[in-house]
Amino acid sequence: MSDAETSLDAAIAARLKRTPDGLVAAIVQEHGTGDVLMLAWMDAEALHRTLTTGKATYWSRSRQEYWVKGATSGHHQRVRKVALDCDGDALLLTVEQTGAACHTGTHTCFSDDLKVAQ
């Protein structure tokens, strides 16, 4: 989707550094606990929808469509804050999570710790 097709503020859109398919990584953190819940993808329109509704809206790369977190599962994310990183290539969403954040039913998608040599 091009910026001309979205209502995202032009100043914000100009700061986004997107992948070749027009996406920006969205890291999702839980308000209150600080837990990193998931990684999703947004384009300019998904970011616009998120900023204007307060509902986390992402772009599904597999389904090629927008999805509002919790629309089918009931595991909603109420967005409290959105920050753009210094390079413009990642977003940090701080959310109030209802239910599991991960599609597997776990609180966070980052529950498989890998061993690090000490």
Side-chain angles (χ1 to χ4, degrees):
M1 169 172 289
S2 72
D3 292 337
E5 297 170 0
T6 183
S7 299
L8 183 64
D9 180 277
I12 297 170
R15 293 181 58 200
L16 296 177
K17 291 184 184 169
R18 302 169 183 93
T19 64
D21 51 356
L23 302 174
V24 175
I27 302 160
V28 184
Q29 182 177 36
E30 187 172 35
H31 176 75
T33 67
D35 290 347
V36 176
L37 300 175
M38 57 184 272
L39 170 72
W41 296 94
M42 291 183 153
D43 65 3
E45 179 61 22
L47 179 55
H48 169 71
R49 292 179 188 190
T50 297
L51 293 172
T52 57
T53 66
K55 297 176 183 178
T57 304
Y58 305 109
W59 177 255
S60 171
R61 295 179 301 164
S62 60
R63 294 188 311 269
Q64 294 290 296
E65 65 184 15
Y66 296 102
W67 57 282
V68 176
K69 181 67 175 169
T72 56
S73 67
H75 300 162
H76 299 278
Q77 292 176 341
R78 180 175 165 255
V79 179
R80 298 283 305 255
K81 179 180 173 185
V82 178
L84 181 61
D85 83 337
C86 59
D87 295 323
D89 59 2
L91 297 161
L92 176 62
L93 280 70
T94 304
V95 304
E96 290 180 2
Q97 179 69 46
T98 301
C102 188
H103 71 279
T104 65
T106 59
H107 177 67
T108 173
C109 293
F110 296 97
S111 56
D112 291 337
D113 291 340
L114 304 178
K115 184 176 180 171
V116 178
Q118 299 297 317

